[in-house]
Amino acid sequence: MLAPHKTGETTADFTGKRVLLAEDNALNAEIAVELLQSIGLKVDWAEDGQKAVEMFEKSAPGSCFAVFMDMQMPVMDGVEATRRIRASDRPDHDVPIFAMTANTFANDRRKCREAGMDGYIAKPINIKDIATTLNNGGNVPEAPGEEAPDGRDA
């Protein structure tokens, strides 16, 4: 479930930047689109990972500011979709990709990092977490005792 944002929680403005949202649940997608648009983003919605990969590949290189990827979707999950985007020959295959999921266990965060995701937003999402993630460039959080991507302990 996604949480609506309260007016005034953030002043972030990403006006006109295009993002790709991969979310199989139509209600969650509708709420996420509203939240993303509220900070000025233009949103393209894919209802599964395969469609997200196809939409990314068909977009003009550099036109996608970020990708918000649900982890559990039919056809292709978010981890596999991320791997395919990262393996692409496109010059923008390093586009920021952020997981959006209720799965918050250390193993899930590890899978996000290993697939090449830049960040992790736990559901229910809110506008403050989205803006903070975009402003800070992600950094998938680790659980206590879990090794960070740079080799240090979290």
Side-chain angles (χ1 to χ4, degrees):
M1 187 66 168
L2 305 175
H5 99 281
K6 297 174 186 167
T7 305
E9 276 189 347
T10 182
T11 58
D13 182 18
F14 301 97
T15 303
K17 294 183 179 183
R18 184 165 299 282
V19 296
L20 176 59
L21 170 67
E23 170 62 67
D24 63 311
N25 181 290
L27 179 59
N28 284 354
E30 182 179 344
I31 294 168
V33 167
E34 289 292 323
L35 289 173
L36 294 167
Q37 288 176 340
S38 75
I39 56 172
L41 294 166
K42 295 181 180 181
V43 184
D44 295 323
W45 173 44
E47 61 268 13
D48 62 57
Q50 181 175 330
K51 289 202 185 327
V53 172
E54 291 169 2
M55 289 173 71
F56 179 77
E57 289 175 351
K58 290 178 182 175
S59 68
S63 65
C64 189
F65 175 64
V67 178
F68 293 92
M69 188 76 72
D70 186 19
M71 297 301 293
Q72 296 181 346
M73 296 180 284
V75 185
M76 182 186 297
D77 67 25
V79 169
E80 182 60 26
T82 298
R83 285 186 183 126
R84 292 194 186 188
I85 290 171
R86 293 296 187 231
S88 168
D89 290 333
R90 291 175 53 119
D92 58 349
H93 68 272
D94 60 346
V95 61
I97 300 176
F98 305 108
M100 290 193 338
T101 183
N103 300 337
T104 58
F105 295 108
N107 187 48
D108 299 309
R109 289 189 299 274
R110 182 184 50 76
K111 286 179 185 176
C112 291
R113 278 195 311 276
E114 288 174 355
M117 292 185 179
D118 298 284
Y120 185 98
I121 301 172
K123 290 181 180 177
I125 66 168
N126 63 65
I127 198 63
K128 184 177 179 184
D129 289 345
I130 292 169
T132 299
T133 299
L134 288 172
N135 283 326
N136 295 336
N139 298 323
V140 178
E142 295 83 29
E146 182 180 3
E147 188 174 299
D150 63 3
R152 63 178 170 73
D153 283 335

